[in-house]
mmCIF file of all heavy atoms in Angstrom:
data_model
loop_
_atom_site.group_PDB
_atom_site.id
_atom_site.type_symbol
_atom_site.label_atom_id
_atom_site.label_comp_id
_atom_site.label_asym_id
_atom_site.label_seq_id
_atom_site.Cartn_x
_atom_site.Cartn_y
_atom_site.Cartn_z
ATOM 1 N N LEU R 1 -11.717 0.302 5.727
ATOM 2 C CA LEU R 1 -12.772 -0.521 6.305
ATOM 3 C C LEU R 1 -12.263 -0.899 7.686
ATOM 4 O O LEU R 1 -11.263 -1.626 7.817
ATOM 5 C CB LEU R 1 -13.013 -1.760 5.440
ATOM 6 C CG LEU R 1 -14.372 -2.471 5.595
ATOM 7 C CD1 LEU R 1 -15.517 -1.493 5.357
ATOM 8 C CD2 LEU R 1 -14.474 -3.636 4.637
ATOM 9 N N LEU R 2 -12.930 -0.396 8.729
ATOM 10 C CA LEU R 2 -12.411 -0.458 10.090
ATOM 11 C C LEU R 2 -13.405 -1.134 11.029
ATOM 12 O O LEU R 2 -14.606 -1.185 10.760
ATOM 13 C CB LEU R 2 -12.120 0.955 10.605
ATOM 14 C CG LEU R 2 -11.217 1.828 9.736
ATOM 15 C CD1 LEU R 2 -11.205 3.253 10.258
ATOM 16 C CD2 LEU R 2 -9.810 1.266 9.673
ATOM 17 N N ARG R 3 -12.861 -1.635 12.152
ATOM 18 C CA ARG R 3 -13.682 -2.216 13.214
ATOM 19 C C ARG R 3 -13.356 -1.494 14.525
ATOM 20 O O ARG R 3 -12.659 -2.031 15.386
ATOM 21 C CB ARG R 3 -13.400 -3.718 13.343
ATOM 22 C CG ARG R 3 -13.727 -4.532 12.113
ATOM 23 C CD ARG R 3 -13.407 -6.015 12.300
ATOM 24 N NE ARG R 3 -14.199 -6.631 13.370
ATOM 25 C CZ ARG R 3 -14.161 -7.925 13.690
ATOM 26 N NH1 ARG R 3 -13.349 -8.736 13.010
ATOM 27 N NH2 ARG R 3 -14.903 -8.407 14.649
ATOM 28 N N PRO R 4 -13.858 -0.270 14.710
ATOM 29 C CA PRO R 4 -13.521 0.486 15.926
ATOM 30 C C PRO R 4 -14.210 -0.077 17.155
ATOM 31 O O PRO R 4 -15.347 -0.550 17.090
ATOM 32 C CB PRO R 4 -14.035 1.896 15.600
ATOM 33 C CG PRO R 4 -15.145 1.669 14.627
ATOM 34 C CD PRO R 4 -14.724 0.493 13.798
ATOM 35 N N SER R 5 -13.520 -0.003 18.265
ATOM 36 C CA SER R 5 -14.109 -0.430 19.541
ATOM 37 C C SER R 5 -14.893 0.694 20.200
ATOM 38 O O SER R 5 -15.658 0.453 21.134
ATOM 39 C CB SER R 5 -13.014 -0.915 20.488
ATOM 40 O OG SER R 5 -12.076 0.129 20.745
ATOM 41 N N SER R 6 -14.703 1.923 19.722
ATOM 42 C CA SER R 6 -15.437 3.067 20.256
ATOM 43 C C SER R 6 -15.408 4.191 19.235
ATOM 44 O O SER R 6 -14.576 4.212 18.323
ATOM 45 C CB SER R 6 -14.817 3.549 21.575
ATOM 46 O OG SER R 6 -13.519 4.086 21.340
ATOM 47 N N THR R 7 -16.308 5.140 19.415
ATOM 48 C CA THR R 7 -16.332 6.320 18.554
ATOM 49 C C THR R 7 -15.052 7.125 18.731
ATOM 50 O O THR R 7 -14.506 7.667 17.761
ATOM 51 C CB THR R 7 -17.552 7.192 18.880
ATOM 52 O OG1 THR R 7 -18.737 6.407 18.746
ATOM 53 C CG2 THR R 7 -17.641 8.383 17.939
ATOM 54 N N LEU R 8 -14.561 7.214 19.962
ATOM 55 C CA LEU R 8 -13.333 7.966 20.225
ATOM 56 C C LEU R 8 -12.149 7.341 19.501
ATOM 57 O O LEU R 8 -11.305 8.050 18.946
ATOM 58 C CB LEU R 8 -13.070 8.014 21.734
ATOM 59 C CG LEU R 8 -11.806 8.759 22.169
ATOM 60 C CD1 LEU R 8 -11.870 10.213 21.735
ATOM 61 C CD2 LEU R 8 -11.623 8.654 23.679
ATOM 62 N N GLN R 9 -12.069 6.015 19.491
ATOM 63 C CA GLN R 9 -10.963 5.357 18.794
ATOM 64 C C GLN R 9 -11.010 5.670 17.301
ATOM 65 O O GLN R 9 -9.968 5.948 16.678
ATOM 66 C CB GLN R 9 -11.038 3.840 18.994
ATOM 67 C CG GLN R 9 -9.861 3.094 18.389
ATOM 68 C CD GLN R 9 -10.080 1.592 18.343
ATOM 69 O OE1 GLN R 9 -11.173 1.134 18.008
ATOM 70 N NE2 GLN R 9 -9.059 0.832 18.679
ATOM 71 N N LEU R 10 -12.192 5.641 16.707
ATOM 72 C CA LEU R 10 -12.331 5.978 15.281
ATOM 73 C C LEU R 10 -11.886 7.409 15.033
ATOM 74 O O LEU R 10 -11.146 7.689 14.073
ATOM 75 C CB LEU R 10 -13.779 5.782 14.849
ATOM 76 C CG LEU R 10 -14.119 6.173 13.404
ATOM 77 C CD1 LEU R 10 -13.359 5.304 12.421
ATOM 78 C CD2 LEU R 10 -15.625 6.077 13.165
ATOM 79 N N LYS R 11 -12.323 8.319 15.876
ATOM 80 C CA LYS R 11 -11.956 9.730 15.732
ATOM 81 C C LYS R 11 -10.442 9.916 15.815
ATOM 82 O O LYS R 11 -9.833 10.601 14.979
ATOM 83 C CB LYS R 11 -12.644 10.551 16.813
ATOM 84 C CG LYS R 11 -12.143 11.981 16.967
ATOM 85 C CD LYS R 11 -12.824 12.657 18.128
ATOM 86 C CE LYS R 11 -12.256 14.040 18.400
ATOM 87 N NZ LYS R 11 -10.864 13.985 18.909
ATOM 88 N N GLU R 12 -9.820 9.309 16.816
ATOM 89 C CA GLU R 12 -8.379 9.508 16.997
ATOM 90 C C GLU R 12 -7.577 8.889 15.867
ATOM 91 O O GLU R 12 -6.569 9.462 15.422
ATOM 92 C CB GLU R 12 -7.957 8.920 18.347
ATOM 93 C CG GLU R 12 -8.509 9.702 19.538
ATOM 94 C CD GLU R 12 -8.090 9.099 20.859
ATOM 95 O OE1 GLU R 12 -7.670 7.910 20.870
ATOM 96 O OE2 GLU R 12 -8.187 9.804 21.886
ATOM 97 N N PHE R 13 -7.996 7.717 15.392
ATOM 98 C CA PHE R 13 -7.282 7.081 14.287
ATOM 99 C C PHE R 13 -7.353 7.946 13.033
ATOM 100 O O PHE R 13 -6.327 8.212 12.389
ATOM 101 C CB PHE R 13 -7.875 5.696 14.001
ATOM 102 C CG PHE R 13 -7.284 5.017 12.793
ATOM 103 C CD1 PHE R 13 -6.118 4.273 12.899
ATOM 104 C CD2 PHE R 13 -7.887 5.119 11.544
ATOM 105 C CE1 PHE R 13 -5.568 3.645 11.787
ATOM 106 C CE2 PHE R 13 -7.341 4.500 10.431
ATOM 107 C CZ PHE R 13 -6.180 3.764 10.555
ATOM 108 N N MET R 14 -8.549 8.381 12.670
ATOM 109 C CA MET R 14 -8.702 9.146 11.439
ATOM 110 C C MET R 14 -8.054 10.522 11.548
ATOM 111 O O MET R 14 -7.460 11.017 10.576
ATOM 112 C CB MET R 14 -10.184 9.279 11.089
ATOM 113 C CG MET R 14 -10.837 7.977 10.642
ATOM 114 S SD MET R 14 -10.016 7.194 9.218
ATOM 115 C CE MET R 14 -10.115 8.498 7.988
ATOM 116 N N GLU R 15 -8.147 11.166 12.706
ATOM 117 C CA GLU R 15 -7.510 12.466 12.865
ATOM 118 C C GLU R 15 -5.995 12.353 12.739
ATOM 119 O O GLU R 15 -5.345 13.184 12.105
ATOM 120 C CB GLU R 15 -7.885 13.075 14.219
ATOM 121 C CG GLU R 15 -9.280 13.666 14.268
ATOM 122 C CD GLU R 15 -9.554 14.384 15.575
ATOM 123 O OE1 GLU R 15 -8.708 14.265 16.501
ATOM 124 O OE2 GLU R 15 -10.598 15.050 15.677
ATOM 125 N N TYR R 16 -5.430 11.310 13.342
ATOM 126 C CA TYR R 16 -3.980 11.124 13.263
ATOM 127 C C TYR R 16 -3.565 10.853 11.820
ATOM 128 O O TYR R 16 -2.584 11.427 11.326
ATOM 129 C CB TYR R 16 -3.550 9.970 14.164
ATOM 130 C CG TYR R 16 -2.052 9.830 14.288
ATOM 131 C CD1 TYR R 16 -1.356 10.512 15.280
ATOM 132 C CD2 TYR R 16 -1.336 9.025 13.410
ATOM 133 C CE1 TYR R 16 0.019 10.398 15.392
ATOM 134 C CE2 TYR R 16 0.039 8.903 13.509
ATOM 135 C CZ TYR R 16 0.708 9.595 14.506
ATOM 136 O OH TYR R 16 2.074 9.482 14.601
ATOM 137 N N PHE R 17 -4.316 9.979 11.145
ATOM 138 C CA PHE R 17 -3.974 9.663 9.759
ATOM 139 C C PHE R 17 -4.082 10.894 8.870
ATOM 140 O O PHE R 17 -3.166 11.195 8.092
ATOM 141 C CB PHE R 17 -4.882 8.557 9.212
ATOM 142 C CG PHE R 17 -4.767 8.386 7.717
ATOM 143 C CD1 PHE R 17 -3.680 7.737 7.166
ATOM 144 C CD2 PHE R 17 -5.737 8.910 6.869
ATOM 145 C CE1 PHE R 17 -3.552 7.608 5.791
ATOM 146 C CE2 PHE R 17 -5.619 8.780 5.495
ATOM 147 C CZ PHE R 17 -4.525 8.122 4.955
ATOM 148 N N MET R 18 -5.184 11.626 8.967
ATOM 149 C CA MET R 18 -5.404 12.738 8.047
ATOM 150 C C MET R 18 -4.443 13.897 8.308
ATOM 151 O O MET R 18 -3.938 14.508 7.368
ATOM 152 C CB MET R 18 -6.860 13.204 8.142
ATOM 153 C CG MET R 18 -7.858 12.166 7.645
ATOM 154 S SD MET R 18 -9.573 12.733 7.648
ATOM 155 C CE MET R 18 -9.528 13.918 6.299
ATOM 156 N N SER R 19 -4.172 14.208 9.552
ATOM 157 C CA SER R 19 -3.281 15.329 9.854
ATOM 158 C C SER R 19 -1.843 15.025 9.455
ATOM 159 O O SER R 19 -1.170 15.857 8.828
ATOM 160 C CB SER R 19 -3.358 15.687 11.338
ATOM 161 O OG SER R 19 -2.967 14.587 12.150
ATOM 162 N N ASN R 20 -1.361 13.825 9.784
ATOM 163 C CA ASN R 20 0.032 13.499 9.464
ATOM 164 C C ASN R 20 0.235 13.229 7.975
ATOM 165 O O ASN R 20 1.262 13.610 7.403
ATOM 166 C CB ASN R 20 0.477 12.292 10.286
ATOM 167 C CG ASN R 20 0.772 12.647 11.725
ATOM 168 O OD1 ASN R 20 1.852 13.128 12.053
ATOM 169 N ND2 ASN R 20 -0.201 12.434 12.600
ATOM 170 N N SER R 21 -0.718 12.579 7.327
ATOM 171 C CA SER R 21 -0.583 12.356 5.887
ATOM 172 C C SER R 21 -0.635 13.677 5.135
ATOM 173 O O SER R 21 0.063 13.848 4.128
ATOM 174 C CB SER R 21 -1.678 11.415 5.383
ATOM 175 O OG SER R 21 -2.966 11.945 5.633
ATOM 176 N N ALA R 22 -1.432 14.634 5.607
ATOM 177 C CA ALA R 22 -1.509 15.937 4.944
ATOM 178 C C ALA R 22 -0.154 16.623 4.946
ATOM 179 O O ALA R 22 0.292 17.166 3.929
ATOM 180 C CB ALA R 22 -2.559 16.810 5.620
ATOM 181 N N ARG R 23 0.515 16.613 6.091
ATOM 182 C CA ARG R 23 1.826 17.266 6.172
ATOM 183 C C ARG R 23 2.870 16.539 5.341
ATOM 184 O O ARG R 23 3.640 17.155 4.596
ATOM 185 C CB ARG R 23 2.269 17.350 7.633
ATOM 186 C CG ARG R 23 1.494 18.354 8.467
ATOM 187 C CD ARG R 23 2.165 18.574 9.800
ATOM 188 N NE ARG R 23 2.093 17.378 10.630
ATOM 189 C CZ ARG R 23 1.105 17.135 11.486
ATOM 190 N NH1 ARG R 23 0.095 17.975 11.590
ATOM 191 N NH2 ARG R 23 1.108 16.047 12.227
ATOM 192 N N LYS R 24 2.904 15.225 5.453
ATOM 193 C CA LYS R 24 3.977 14.470 4.811
ATOM 194 C C LYS R 24 3.785 14.363 3.293
ATOM 195 O O LYS R 24 4.740 14.493 2.531
ATOM 196 C CB LYS R 24 4.077 13.080 5.452
ATOM 197 C CG LYS R 24 4.529 13.134 6.899
ATOM 198 C CD LYS R 24 4.634 11.760 7.524
ATOM 199 C CE LYS R 24 5.124 11.856 8.962
ATOM 200 N NZ LYS R 24 6.487 12.386 9.067
ATOM 201 N N ILE R 25 2.565 14.123 2.850
ATOM 202 C CA ILE R 25 2.323 14.054 1.409
ATOM 203 C C ILE R 25 2.477 15.435 0.783
ATOM 204 O O ILE R 25 2.996 15.575 -0.329
ATOM 205 C CB ILE R 25 0.921 13.483 1.126
ATOM 206 C CG1 ILE R 25 0.798 12.057 1.669
ATOM 207 C CG2 ILE R 25 0.629 13.500 -0.370
ATOM 208 C CD1 ILE R 25 1.742 11.059 1.049
ATOM 209 N N GLY R 26 2.031 16.475 1.505
ATOM 210 C CA GLY R 26 2.197 17.826 0.991
ATOM 211 C C GLY R 26 3.654 18.178 0.757
ATOM 212 O O GLY R 26 4.008 18.813 -0.254
ATOM 213 N N ARG R 27 4.531 17.753 1.651
ATOM 214 C CA ARG R 27 5.958 18.022 1.480
ATOM 215 C C ARG R 27 6.520 17.328 0.240
ATOM 216 O O ARG R 27 7.392 17.875 -0.446
ATOM 217 C CB ARG R 27 6.734 17.547 2.717
ATOM 218 C CG ARG R 27 6.686 18.502 3.893
ATOM 219 C CD ARG R 27 7.492 17.949 5.048
ATOM 220 N NE ARG R 27 7.552 18.876 6.156
ATOM 221 C CZ ARG R 27 8.476 19.808 6.300
ATOM 222 N NH1 ARG R 27 9.416 19.946 5.378
ATOM 223 N NH2 ARG R 27 8.468 20.609 7.346
ATOM 224 N N LEU R 28 6.042 16.139 -0.046
ATOM 225 C CA LEU R 28 6.553 15.404 -1.201
ATOM 226 C C LEU R 28 6.279 16.137 -2.509
ATOM 227 O O LEU R 28 7.050 16.031 -3.467
ATOM 228 C CB LEU R 28 5.920 14.008 -1.256
ATOM 229 C CG LEU R 28 6.281 13.043 -0.121
ATOM 230 C CD1 LEU R 28 5.559 11.722 -0.302
ATOM 231 C CD2 LEU R 28 7.791 12.807 -0.071
ATOM 232 N N HIS R 29 5.171 16.884 -2.557
ATOM 233 C CA HIS R 29 4.792 17.598 -3.774
ATOM 234 C C HIS R 29 4.991 19.106 -3.656
ATOM 235 O O HIS R 29 4.570 19.849 -4.556
ATOM 236 C CB HIS R 29 3.322 17.321 -4.108
ATOM 237 C CG HIS R 29 3.011 15.871 -4.334
ATOM 238 N ND1 HIS R 29 3.657 15.106 -5.281
ATOM 239 C CD2 HIS R 29 2.121 15.042 -3.734
ATOM 240 C CE1 HIS R 29 3.170 13.875 -5.257
ATOM 241 N NE2 HIS R 29 2.243 13.816 -4.330
ATOM 242 N N ASN R 30 5.615 19.551 -2.550
ATOM 243 C CA ASN R 30 5.770 20.983 -2.292
ATOM 244 C C ASN R 30 4.416 21.675 -2.366
ATOM 245 O O ASN R 30 4.267 22.763 -2.924
ATOM 246 C CB ASN R 30 6.750 21.618 -3.294
ATOM 247 C CG ASN R 30 7.214 22.990 -2.844
ATOM 248 O OD1 ASN R 30 7.241 23.302 -1.641
ATOM 249 N ND2 ASN R 30 7.577 23.835 -3.797
ATOM 250 N N TRP R 31 3.427 21.015 -1.790
ATOM 251 C CA TRP R 31 2.051 21.527 -1.794
ATOM 252 C C TRP R 31 1.777 22.205 -0.459
ATOM 253 O O TRP R 31 1.799 21.573 0.581
ATOM 254 C CB TRP R 31 1.075 20.367 -2.020
ATOM 255 C CG TRP R 31 -0.371 20.753 -1.990
ATOM 256 C CD1 TRP R 31 -1.255 20.564 -0.968
ATOM 257 C CD2 TRP R 31 -1.113 21.382 -3.031
ATOM 258 N NE1 TRP R 31 -2.500 21.031 -1.299
ATOM 259 C CE2 TRP R 31 -2.443 21.541 -2.571
ATOM 260 C CE3 TRP R 31 -0.784 21.829 -4.324
ATOM 261 C CZ2 TRP R 31 -3.432 22.134 -3.358
ATOM 262 C CZ3 TRP R 31 -1.776 22.413 -5.098
ATOM 263 C CH2 TRP R 31 -3.074 22.554 -4.611
ATOM 264 N N ARG R 32 1.501 23.509 -0.485
ATOM 265 C CA ARG R 32 1.357 24.271 0.750
ATOM 266 C C ARG R 32 -0.088 24.417 1.200
ATOM 267 O O ARG R 32 -0.355 24.882 2.298
ATOM 268 C CB ARG R 32 1.979 25.663 0.567
ATOM 269 C CG ARG R 32 3.479 25.602 0.306
ATOM 270 C CD ARG R 32 4.078 26.986 0.216
ATOM 271 N NE ARG R 32 5.511 26.935 -0.050
ATOM 272 C CZ ARG R 32 6.436 26.764 0.874
ATOM 273 N NH1 ARG R 32 6.070 26.637 2.139
ATOM 274 N NH2 ARG R 32 7.706 26.720 0.548
ATOM 275 N N GLY R 33 -1.023 24.046 0.359
ATOM 276 C CA GLY R 33 -2.420 24.169 0.730
ATOM 277 C C GLY R 33 -2.909 22.940 1.477
ATOM 278 O O GLY R 33 -2.141 22.042 1.836
ATOM 279 N N ALA R 34 -4.228 22.908 1.713
ATOM 280 C CA ALA R 34 -4.829 21.757 2.381
ATOM 281 C C ALA R 34 -4.758 20.538 1.479
ATOM 282 O O ALA R 34 -4.856 20.642 0.252
ATOM 283 C CB ALA R 34 -6.282 22.063 2.736
ATOM 284 N N LEU R 35 -4.589 19.370 2.068
ATOM 285 C CA LEU R 35 -4.578 18.136 1.294
ATOM 286 C C LEU R 35 -5.984 17.557 1.187
ATOM 287 O O LEU R 35 -6.402 17.110 0.117
ATOM 288 C CB LEU R 35 -3.651 17.111 1.944
ATOM 289 C CG LEU R 35 -3.581 15.760 1.225
ATOM 290 C CD1 LEU R 35 -2.780 15.881 -0.068
ATOM 291 C CD2 LEU R 35 -2.969 14.685 2.120
#
C-alpha cells in the first residue's frame, strides 16, 4: 500500500523490488526460472 508522488516513482520502486527480489529469492531456493 503505497503513496507515490508520481507514476515514474511507482514504476521505479516496483521494478527495483521485483527484479532484485526475483534474483535473490531465486538463489535461496536454487530456482532458475522466473519468480
Side-chain angles (χ1 to χ4, degrees):
L1 201 55
L2 306 171
R3 298 179 62 176
S5 60
S6 67
T7 303
L8 179 61
Q9 184 192 42
L10 176 63
K11 168 184 174 292
E12 291 180 342
F13 175 85
M14 290 303 302
E15 283 186 351
Y16 188 89
F17 168 77
M18 294 184 71
S19 60
N20 284 278
S21 60
R23 288 191 292 269
K24 294 180 179 296
I25 298 298
R27 280 181 176 271
L28 294 179
H29 300 303
N30 195 27
W31 178 258
R32 297 184 181 277
L35 179 73

